[in-house]
Amino acid sequence: QMTKIMAAVVVAAVIVAQSVAAEEPTPGYNNKIPESILTPHDIVTRAGTLKYFDGIPTPETAEALYNHLDYIRGVEAFLNGMPAASLEAIRRSQVVQGSVNSYQVRIFDQLMDSNPLFLTGNTDTVYVSSVLDLKRDGPTVIEIPPGTGPGTVNDAFFRFVIDTGPPGPDQGKGGKYLILPPDHVHLQGEVPDDYFVAKSPSWTNWFIARGFLKDGKPDYSSKLFREGLKIYPLSQADDPPKMEFYNGSGKAFNTIHSTNFKFYEELHAVIEREPVEMLDPQLRGIFASIGIQKGQPFAPDERMKKILTRAAEVGNATARAMLWYERDKTAFLYEGSYWKRGFVGGSYEFLKDGGLGGRNIDARAQFFYFATVNTPAMTWKLIGKGSQYAWGYLDANGDYLDGSKTYKLNLPKDPPAEKFISVVLYDPQTRSQLQTSQPFPSYNSEKHKDKVAYNDDGSVDLYFGPEAPAGKDSNWLQTVPEKGWFLVLRLYSPTEPWFDKTWRPGDIELVK
């Protein structure tokens, strides 16, 4: 019996020893490494042919990868920096015209025609435009006269600060707005109680407002702004400077950011001027990765300048691809139609799925590539207030619009807008009004109500082409052969049929 017990103990000891030995790797050998974490010796990529010694990049490969990383960051900086560069271009355009103080205002007394380069500006309202310098002037007052149209203040990154006019807190009754600088500390009694107050994250702010036509003419709103609009530092409220107005109508000027290497210089000017806290660390990091950092000169060497030049080309091309070849199906207003929303995703903050998807950076990039002014009034359902937008950039077949061909657009009767609807044609190169022999390339349902021909059902057919179809001169908007175009449909003070889609425009149909 003892012999059997001893034999069992020996067997058990051998089994334990074998088990332990099995758990320990044999000296000089590794466990099997998953292929998913291995780096091959040679691999062909977009960055070139990458070569390694046991996972260690060769010096040539490391150089190629750094060049590629700088290029990627350059494209990212272009797509993410457009809001800042766009507002900077507007600021510079006003300085060139002589508007260096907030009380020096650009006004379009005879409306905006196709002379200026201005991203999707309209032909149908009297614009006033002022750039605020809160660092120099401190808290700044904007006095809005009653009866003006929608207005907005945007910061240096084209973010919403506050609305004025009908969608704003004065609700069209007029009032005093006080824009506070980012470093403002509220002191008891310093801010009057009867002001509408908003604090901006940036020193530079852009104020733009619109005045409506009366009897189809701009005279009423032009006079309203010239006599009633006041902008001045709060510190000079007792003796404000005299307002100065510069007429922008009929003038040629540029408000559009560059799409080559100069873009990064424009972006650097904004980052250098504005408080560092204006942008979150993630955005600042993207810009800093290519040498754009507050307090540091932007002086790329020849290698980096060449890379950023290529990056700007691809960033520009990518923005255009986003505009004309939409991947987000929620961007379309109607199923089976190419009418597109003004704000993809319906958020002025460009939040995806209510914020669950974070920032929709593609939607932000494409919006600021072709438009200006950021306000919730353009996205909210405000019956009888604000404005709504749709843009037509493809025909009913999904093809881009060719100025050599003729197209037709049907607008049903009873447009769903208390003020009016309008259609304006634009140049895809400049995203500004299309320049033709028609200085105002547009249709306005109020201004042109007695000038266009109507169908028997009360609808209007608009024709677009290099020449007017026979008998359609009054309903024709000119295009340019060998050149593309697109249009924006605007509704001022929209009504319920727009929102419930019981009224909808026809598709842009190719005639010949």
Side-chain angles (χ1 to χ4, degrees):
Q1 185 69 27
M2 181 60 68
T3 301
K4 291 181 180 179
I5 292 174
M6 290 299 294
V9 170
V10 171
V11 171
V14 171
I15 292 173
V16 170
Q18 290 176 342
S19 176
V20 171
E23 292 177 358
E24 295 177 355
T26 303
Y29 293 90
N30 291 322
N31 291 326
K32 174 83 173 165
I33 299 176
E35 289 189 10
S36 60
I37 70 170
L38 286 173
T39 300
H41 289 297
D42 299 296
I43 183 171
V44 178
T45 71
R46 291 186 179 184
T49 299
L50 308 181
K51 297 179 178 297
Y52 302 87
F53 169 72
D54 198 25
I56 304 171
T58 65
E60 296 78 14
T61 290
E63 181 181 7
L65 289 169
Y66 273 121
N67 288 341
H68 186 61
L69 181 61
D70 289 337
Y71 169 78
I72 292 172
R73 296 276 167 75
V75 175
E76 283 188 290
F78 186 97
L79 295 174
N80 285 283
M82 272 193 288
S86 184
L87 198 133
E88 171 67 2
I90 292 172
R91 186 196 70 82
R92 292 185 181 192
S93 76
Q94 299 222 165
V95 170
V96 169
Q97 194 177 19
S99 301
V100 296
N101 296 294
S102 60
Y103 57 84
Q104 295 171 313
V105 176
R106 175 183 284 158
I107 184 171
F108 291 84
D109 290 307
Q110 292 82 36
L111 304 175
M112 183 186 289
D113 54 32
S114 60
N115 272 292
L117 299 177
F118 194 105
L119 294 177
T120 52
N122 79 62
T123 62
D124 304 294
T125 60
V126 177
Y127 283 118
V128 286
S129 171
S130 171
V131 176
L132 313 183
D133 187 342
L134 302 180
K135 187 172 187 179
R136 180 189 62 202
D137 298 337
T140 298
V141 179
I142 305 174
E143 290 190 20
I144 303 295
T148 63
T152 303
V153 176
N154 285 167
D155 78 355
F157 199 69
F158 246 129
R159 292 174 300 205
F160 173 73
V161 176
I162 196 169
D163 274 335
T164 66
D170 74 275
Q171 298 183 342
K173 300 175 183 178
K176 296 180 180 180
Y177 287 78
L178 183 62
I179 312 302
L180 301 177
D183 64 347
H184 181 81
V185 178
H186 182 72
L187 301 176
Q188 188 67 29
E190 184 180 6
V191 178
D193 293 335
D194 58 343
Y195 283 54
F196 303 114
V197 181
K199 187 173 182 179
S200 172
S202 64
W203 301 118
T204 303
N205 287 260
W206 183 43
F207 164 67
I208 184 168
R210 289 158 289 183
F212 292 120
L213 304 182
K214 190 171 184 178
D215 299 324
K217 299 178 181 179
D219 305 41
Y220 168 80
S221 289
S222 174
K223 182 178 180 181
L224 182 68
F225 283 130
R226 284 182 172 269
E227 295 182 355
L229 178 65
K230 309 293 181 188
I231 306 177
Y232 52 85
L234 180 63
S235 61
Q236 300 179 34
D238 293 335
D239 186 23
K242 183 180 179 181
M243 294 293 294
E244 299 177 19
F245 291 90
Y246 295 80
N247 188 5
S249 297
K251 305 291 194 307
F253 54 86
N254 177 37
T255 70
I256 304 175
H257 66 75
S258 301
T259 56
N260 56 17
F261 176 79
K262 290 182 179 179
F263 172 89
Y264 301 104
E265 296 175 330
E266 294 164 358
L267 178 59
H268 176 258
V270 178
I271 300 304
E272 182 62 24
R273 183 177 57 247
E274 300 300 335
V276 68
E277 298 83 7
M278 181 186 76
L279 300 178
D280 61 65
Q282 180 73 16
L283 271 177
R284 297 203 305 268
I286 291 174
F287 302 152
S289 71
I290 61 169
I292 297 177
Q293 181 176 332
K294 186 175 179 64
Q296 301 292 330
F298 178 56
D301 57 22
E302 282 304 308
R303 178 196 71 88
M304 191 64 173
K305 190 170 182 178
K306 289 179 180 178
I307 289 173
L308 291 180
T309 299
R310 301 286 85 80
E313 292 171 351
V314 171
N316 175 53
T318 302
R320 290 178 176 274
M322 290 176 178
L323 281 172
W324 266 271
Y325 299 93
E326 182 60 66
R327 295 194 300 182
D328 183 353
K329 300 308 178 185
T330 66
F332 299 109
L333 273 167
Y334 314 103
E335 186 175 352
S337 171
Y338 289 102
W339 281 105
K340 195 171 175 182
R341 303 177 190 274
F343 280 81
V344 175
S347 167
Y348 75 97
E349 297 176 292
F350 305 100
L351 297 178
K352 187 175 178 62
D353 297 329
L356 294 175
R359 189 86 61 198
N360 190 335
I361 55 177
D362 289 353
R364 182 177 66 187
Q366 64 173 280
F367 177 83
F368 286 110
Y369 192 77
F370 91 113
T372 64
V373 186
N374 184 6
T375 166
M378 292 180 178
T379 62
W380 292 346
K381 182 179 178 179
L382 298 173
I383 300 297
K385 297 180 181 180
S387 51
Q388 287 287 305
Y389 301 78
W391 77 291
Y393 64 112
L394 300 174
D395 68 14
N397 298 317
D399 298 322
Y400 53 73
L401 304 171
D402 183 345
S404 304
K405 301 176 181 179
T406 300
Y407 300 84
K408 181 179 74 171
L409 167 65
N410 178 262
L411 298 174
K413 68 175 182 178
D414 300 328
E418 291 183 4
K419 298 292 185 182
F420 60 89
I421 68 170
S422 79
V423 171
V424 184
L425 303 193
Y426 296 99
D427 182 332
Q429 278 284 0
T430 65
R431 292 90 72 207
S432 304
Q433 290 179 30
L434 187 65
Q435 295 183 342
T436 67
S437 61
Q438 297 173 329
F440 296 97
S442 62
Y443 161 78
N444 180 309
S445 64
E446 180 63 23
K447 184 167 61 174
H448 298 125
K449 63 181 179 181
D450 297 325
K451 299 177 182 179
V452 299
Y454 294 87
N455 298 320
D456 292 341
D457 62 1
S459 67
V460 172
D461 287 331
L462 298 181
Y463 292 87
F464 314 97
E467 297 178 353
K472 306 296 184 182
D473 296 66
S474 62
N475 292 44
W476 167 66
L477 293 176
Q478 187 178 17
T479 60
V480 181
E482 307 300 324
K483 186 167 190 55
W485 59 276
F486 67 91
L487 63 80
V488 174
L489 170 67
R490 290 176 169 86
L491 300 91
Y492 289 98
S493 302
T495 55
E496 184 63 39
W498 172 256
F499 295 101
D500 66 18
K501 300 182 181 179
T502 54
W503 186 98
R504 58 175 281 184
D507 290 314
I508 302 170
E509 299 177 358
L510 177 64
V511 176
K512 64 175 182 177

